[in-house]
Amino acid sequence: MTLKILITPKSYKNYKDKNYPLLTAAGYEIIENNTGKTLTEDEIIDLARQDVAGIIVGVDPLPERVLKSCRDLKAISKYGVGMDNIDLDAAARLGIKVKNAVGSNSVSVSELAIALMFEAARRVSVMSAGVKAGGWDRVGGIELTGKTLGLIGCGQIGKEVAKRAKGLCMEVEVYDPYFKEEGFLEEYGVKLSASLDELLAAADVVSLHLPLNRETRQLINSRTIAKMKKSVILINTARGELVDEEALYAALVSKSIAVAAQDVFSQEPPPPGEKLLALENFILTPHTGAFTAEAGERMALYSARNLLELLGH
Ligand code: NAD
């Protein structure tokens, strides 16, 4: 019997020429996701119920129910970084090894965070759309120079954002209770905030770069929003569920924050009629932070190598 590897991310096919041979040379047959969409739990079970030793997974759901149903599964390799779609506790209990592609997309996501910050500050796409529709209306903006960028989470992506923001003549403060790299703070002139509230009070732009887990779900809520400046720009390229979207809606409508620009949403794509999408001060891109040629190459290669390593090759 030939063991198989299920590859779920749609975009992995762009990198198949380089990476499939790594997997087939190790003796595996490859099962692709041909639905053109993120797989559902049942679709994963149908494809991986038996003989599938490894999964290279995108954002498709891997809760305990799915992991238990895939009886030959030994390893999961994340095509990306955030592992909130995988029940890590269940995987550990079931002896399924898990690894993510650390650092594969940090430059791309950091560049998108900066792009969203400029979009929020200068509304480039809004004005361009207006001009293309026959208008010539300017939208007033703000300068970013001299403003304080507050980063919540300063890992691979947060650090790349910090370096770029310093290059833009911004002040940078970070809140990250697990941060230990004093040298980074000194080298780039970045301040470590003593508390989340201190960071929120100081920041002109708040950008989220932390994982979604039990501790961080809805970290941005009516209480934390109330600590922010009314003029604040909120950037979220991390995960939608980090933000209480009801509280965000209320804050954007009442202008108790200025603009929110996100690459992620609690439900992707958002449901029809989602009320946040109707607000002119809410910007949303379709989870495209890592969707660059360079990050794609790295995610495909790192995830293939990681899977083989987890499977003992
Ligand atoms: P990372 O693990 O390198 O960094 C995460 C940082 O968050 C760490 O420094 C950690 O100490 C910190 N952190 C953890 N809990 C915290 C808390 N309660 N408060 C403040 N900081 C906390 O991960 P990364 O590569 O920088 O990625 C960050 C997140 O970005 C991922 O978890 C993922 O959800 C998201 N992401 C999104 C995209 C996209 O396409 N939009 C792509 C990659 C990653």
Side-chain angles (χ1 to χ4, degrees), residues 80-84 100-106 109 112 151-159 175-179 181 196 208-213 215-216 219 236-239 242 263-264 268 287-291 299:
V81 179
M83 296 201 282
D84 46 282
N100 61 351
V102 174
S104 55
N105 51 29
S106 42
V109 180
L112 184 74
L151 301 175
I152 307 180
C154 194
Q156 300 289 334
I157 298 171
K159 282 189 287 187
Y175 170 71
D176 185 331
Y178 310 104
F179 193 78
E181 297 173 57
L196 179 59
L208 309 183
H209 301 290
L210 70 170
L212 172 66
N213 54 38
E215 177 200 357
T216 63
L219 184 86
N236 184 5
T237 56
R239 282 295 180 267
L242 293 168
D263 184 43
V264 286
E268 297 177 358
H287 204 139
T288 191
F291 199 57
M299 294 193 302

Side-chain angles (χ1 to χ4, degrees), residues 1-5 28 47-55 66-76 94-97 311:
M1 177 207 43
T2 306
L3 283 172
K4 297 172 185 157
I5 286 170
Y28 297 98
L47 292 169
R49 177 176 284 127
Q50 71 181 60
D51 302 340
V52 169
I55 301 181
V66 175
L67 301 182
K68 275 186 167 163
S69 304
C70 302
R71 63 177 200 212
D72 298 314
L73 187 61
K74 300 281 178 299
I76 298 165
L94 294 164
I96 299 169
K97 296 178 184 164
L311 290 171

Side-chain angles (χ1 to χ4, degrees), residues 48-309:
R49 177 176 284 127
Q50 71 181 60
D51 302 340
V52 169
I55 301 181
I56 294 180
V57 72
V59 293
D60 325 68
L62 291 177
E64 181 165 22
R65 166 178 171 261
V66 175
L67 301 182
K68 275 186 167 163
S69 304
C70 302
R71 63 177 200 212
D72 298 314
L73 187 61
K74 300 281 178 299
I76 298 165
S77 180
K78 172 77 187 196
Y79 174 76
V81 179
M83 296 201 282
D84 46 282
N85 57 320
I86 307 167
D87 186 334
L88 296 173
D89 295 336
R93 278 197 302 278
L94 294 164
I96 299 169
K97 296 178 184 164
V98 185
K99 193 166 179 185
N100 61 351
V102 174
S104 55
N105 51 29
S106 42
V107 166
S108 290
V109 180
S110 71
E111 290 183 357
L112 184 74
I114 298 286
L116 289 174
M117 185 167 70
F118 273 108
E119 177 63 29
R122 301 302 300 268
R123 310 312 300 263
V124 175
S125 66
V126 174
M127 288 192 281
S128 173
V131 171
K132 286 185 179 185
W136 194 250
D137 293 328
R138 295 178 298 184
V139 180
I142 59 158
E143 290 182 351
L144 294 172
T145 293
K147 300 287 190 322
T148 296
L149 170 63
L151 301 175
I152 307 180
C154 194
Q156 300 289 334
I157 298 171
K159 282 189 287 187
E160 295 300 329
V161 176
K163 288 186 217 169
R164 283 156 183 76
K166 290 304 288 190
L168 294 170
C169 308
M170 297 182 80
E171 303 299 326
V172 180
E173 294 191 18
V174 304
Y175 170 71
D176 185 331
Y178 310 104
F179 193 78
K180 300 226 167 14
E181 297 173 57
E182 282 298 325
F184 177 85
L185 301 177
E186 267 170 44
E187 183 177 353
Y188 291 99
V190 171
K191 183 183 161 194
L192 190 63
S193 289
S195 69
L196 179 59
D197 286 0
E198 182 184 302
L199 179 106
L200 295 175
D204 300 295
V205 181
V206 171
S207 192
L208 309 183
H209 301 290
L210 70 170
L212 172 66
N213 54 38
R214 274 187 290 271
E215 177 200 357
T216 63
R217 185 172 295 272
Q218 300 204 341
L219 184 86
I220 302 302
N221 52 45
S222 52
R223 190 199 73 79
T224 47
I225 286 173
K227 302 285 175 190
M228 298 181 197
K229 295 183 182 178
K230 275 186 169 250
S231 55
V232 78
I233 291 170
L234 175 66
I235 307 292
N236 184 5
T237 56
R239 282 295 180 267
E241 297 92 327
L242 293 168
V243 176
D244 174 347
E245 287 166 358
E246 281 299 325
L248 179 68
Y249 180 79
L252 287 169
V253 168
S254 65
K255 302 274 164 66
S256 52
I257 72 172
V259 187
Q262 305 196 163
D263 184 43
V264 286
F265 206 70
S266 60
Q267 186 182 328
E268 297 177 358
E274 167 54 51
K275 58 188 180 184
L276 272 163
L277 298 181
L279 300 181
E280 58 77 29
N281 53 352
F282 180 73
I283 297 161
L284 182 62
T285 52
H287 204 139
T288 191
F291 199 57
T292 63
E294 294 84 354
E297 290 262 356
R298 282 185 225 108
M299 294 193 302
L301 179 63
Y302 293 9
S303 59
R305 281 189 185 153
N306 286 344
L307 188 65
L308 291 174
E309 186 192 311

